[in-house]
């Protein structure tokens, strides 16, 4: 997809999305085997302007996948390795004293957060103070240093990874920060046939470079088009009811939620369900949202917003099983 000097119309942008999706998948297939659902969720977040939390064991190509997407969209990519000794200024930047012809002045040196796509690798391995350095950037697309606000480049995305296996010495993300991620995408091990393909591909000399087919300006135009996609009020109410039903001890809360859940999804869950459903509809060639679009995004949207209590853990209840019951019990149409 080539950059155009004249801004395309909304219909042209929608056509770009549809034709571009096939090309994106073809480019990613050069380095990524399988993971179609994961790729779709990341693309939905990208086109919706949301951030993603990626959970998966080591060696599942999380970093390669994010870097490859940045290359396809011609976005500036920065990887930040989160460690226990990482300081907030290591992320946002710092002011230094610099000699100039008019005398010494304070100059702001930008940190690695000044990029289009940030990979916050193993974000749960750094203390909360440093984790919080991303909050302003994620929400406001800016950082503040020395009382001065510095705008971040647009588009701006944070894709944070965390390892669910080695939890010793980690700092779980607080609910306030988790809520700022549009999706929690879980990457699992590949089927045997796909693993064989990965081993063959990565141990040979047959490598193909990834080509950029999108530009940052294209992504920003998609953001505008997505918000113009119509959604019926009953579908918006469905998304709101799904989120509300996950909150314990509220009027109409299901018994299993009251028994197993200590904290449910907030307002952002409904917003991201609807926004993601709009993108999913466009990616599938539709100009309208269906209940299936919302249901398909319930797991990545809700799994990090529902906090289970000790009773659920003792009984072996998972967040996915709670979402299963929510999808079964909450009707798409109001009764």
């Amino acid at each position: 997809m080539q950059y155009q000097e004249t801004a395309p119309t909304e219909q042209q942008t929608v056509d770009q999305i549809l034709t571009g999706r096939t090309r994106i998948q073809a480019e990613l297939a050069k380095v990524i085997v399988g993971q179609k659902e994961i790729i779709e969720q990341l693309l939905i977040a990208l086109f919706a302007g949301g951030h993603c939390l990626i959970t998966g064991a080591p060696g599942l190509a999380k970093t390669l996948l994010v870097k490859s997407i940045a290359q396809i969209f011609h976005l500036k990519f920065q990887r930040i390795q989160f460690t226990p000794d990482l300081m907030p200024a290591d992320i946002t930047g710092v002011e230094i004293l610099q000699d100039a012809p008019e005398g010494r002045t304070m100059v702001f040196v930008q940190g690695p957060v000044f990029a289009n796509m940030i990979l916050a690798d193993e974000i749960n391995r750094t203390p909360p103070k440093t984790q919080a350095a991303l909050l302003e950037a994620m929400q406001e697309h800016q950082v503040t240093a020395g009382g001065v606000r510095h705008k971040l480049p647009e588009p701006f995305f944070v894709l944070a990874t965390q390892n669910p296996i080695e939890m010793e010495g980690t700092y779980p993300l607080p609910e306030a920060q988790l809520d700022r991620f549009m999706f929690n995408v879980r990457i699992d091990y590949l089927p045997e046939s796909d693993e064989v393909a990965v081993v063959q591909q990565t141990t040979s000399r047959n490598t193909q470079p990834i080509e950029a087919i999108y530009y940052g300006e294209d992504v920003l135009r998609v953001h505008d088009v997505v918000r113009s996609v119509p959604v019926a009020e009953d579908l918006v109410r469905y998304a709101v009811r799904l989120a509300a039903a996950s909150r314990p001890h509220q009027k109409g809360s299901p018994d299993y939620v009251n028994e197993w859940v200590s904290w449910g999804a907030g307002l952002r869950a409904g917003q991201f369900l609807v926004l993601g459903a709009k993108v999913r509809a466009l990616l599938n060639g539709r100009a309208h949202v269906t209940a299936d679009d919302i249901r398909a995004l319930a797991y990545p949207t809700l799994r990090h917003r529902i906090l289970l209590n000790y009773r659920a853990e003792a009984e072996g209840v998972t967040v996915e099983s709670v979402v299963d019951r929510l999808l079964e019990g909450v009707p798409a149409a109001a009764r």
Side-chain angles (χ1 to χ4, degrees):
M1 183 174 302
Q2 300 299 320
Y3 174 72
Q4 301 178 13
E5 292 184 3
T6 59
T9 64
E10 285 193 0
Q11 184 57 50
Q12 288 174 328
T13 301
V14 171
D15 293 339
Q16 286 179 344
I17 296 173
L18 295 176
T19 57
R21 180 182 184 180
T22 303
R23 294 187 61 193
I24 290 168
Q25 291 172 336
E27 290 299 318
L28 287 175
K30 295 177 179 179
V31 292
I32 302 294
V33 176
Q35 306 290 14
K36 290 184 178 179
E37 184 178 356
I38 304 302
I39 291 171
E40 180 185 58
Q41 292 173 5
L42 291 181
L43 290 179
I44 289 174
L46 185 71
F47 286 139
H51 308 292
C52 270
L53 181 64
I54 307 175
T55 306
L60 296 181
K62 297 186 294 294
T63 302
L64 177 62
L65 176 57
V66 174
K67 185 176 181 181
S68 300
I69 291 176
Q71 289 176 310
I72 289 173
F73 286 88
H74 208 270
L75 301 175
K76 182 181 179 182
F77 171 80
Q78 287 281 13
R79 176 180 177 272
I80 307 174
Q81 181 64 52
F82 279 66
T83 58
D85 60 348
L86 191 72
M87 299 297 291
D90 296 330
I91 298 173
T92 60
V94 65
E95 286 191 323
I96 63 172
L97 192 63
Q98 190 175 76
D99 290 328
E102 62 274 11
R104 291 187 172 183
T105 58
M106 297 297 294
V107 177
F108 178 70
V109 178
Q110 295 181 350
V113 76
F114 284 83
N116 300 117
M117 186 170 285
I118 306 297
L119 175 62
D121 211 0
E122 295 190 284
I123 190 174
N124 58 334
R125 295 204 174 275
T126 202
K129 181 179 181 180
T130 306
Q131 291 175 359
L134 276 180
L135 287 178
E136 182 185 15
M138 291 171 62
Q139 190 66 23
E140 306 295 337
H141 290 205
Q142 67 178 26
V143 298
T144 303
V148 179
R149 295 187 180 92
H150 302 272
K151 287 290 184 181
L152 296 171
E154 295 289 352
F156 176 75
F157 307 98
V158 173
L159 296 104
T161 70
Q162 59 180 8
N163 181 352
I165 298 177
E166 300 176 14
M167 301 306 293
E168 184 176 351
T170 62
Y171 304 84
L173 273 67
E175 282 69 26
Q177 186 164 347
L178 282 172
D179 195 43
R180 282 169 168 79
F181 289 100
M182 181 176 184
F183 292 155
N184 180 359
V185 177
R186 291 197 174 175
I187 300 181
D188 206 347
Y189 290 104
L190 294 168
E192 181 180 327
S193 58
D194 285 346
E195 283 204 31
V196 170
V198 170
V199 173
Q200 290 176 330
Q201 182 173 298
T202 55
T203 56
S204 70
R205 299 177 63 182
N206 185 23
T207 58
Q208 302 179 60
I210 289 180
E211 298 180 9
I213 58 177
Y214 261 99
Y215 289 85
E217 294 85 352
D218 296 315
V219 178
L220 293 176
R221 280 195 291 270
V222 173
H223 290 174
D224 291 333
V225 171
V226 165
R227 282 157 177 77
S228 68
V229 174
V231 183
E233 183 178 336
D234 62 330
L235 292 177
V236 176
R237 290 185 180 276
Y238 176 48
V240 170
R241 286 199 305 271
L242 270 177
S246 71
R247 302 165 194 160
H249 310 299
Q250 302 292 315
K251 182 180 178 180
S253 297
D255 292 338
Y256 61 89
V257 169
N258 293 332
E259 182 180 359
W260 293 331
V261 177
S262 61
W263 192 260
L267 176 62
R268 282 195 183 98
Q271 293 173 328
F272 286 143
L273 278 172
V274 171
L275 196 58
K278 290 184 175 188
V279 179
R280 188 175 186 272
L282 290 178
L283 288 176
N284 285 279
R286 289 181 279 106
H288 64 280
V289 174
T290 67
D292 286 340
D293 292 320
I294 294 175
R295 280 191 285 264
L297 300 178
Y299 294 97
T301 305
L302 297 177
R303 64 164 54 107
H304 58 300
R305 293 183 164 89
I306 297 177
L307 182 64
L308 301 181
N309 56 28
Y310 69 92
R311 186 180 294 108
E313 295 178 4
E315 297 179 15
V317 175
T318 64
V319 172
E320 279 75 12
S321 63
V322 172
V323 177
D324 284 338
R325 296 188 65 167
L326 288 172
L327 291 174
E328 292 173 1
V330 178
R335 292 172 178 171

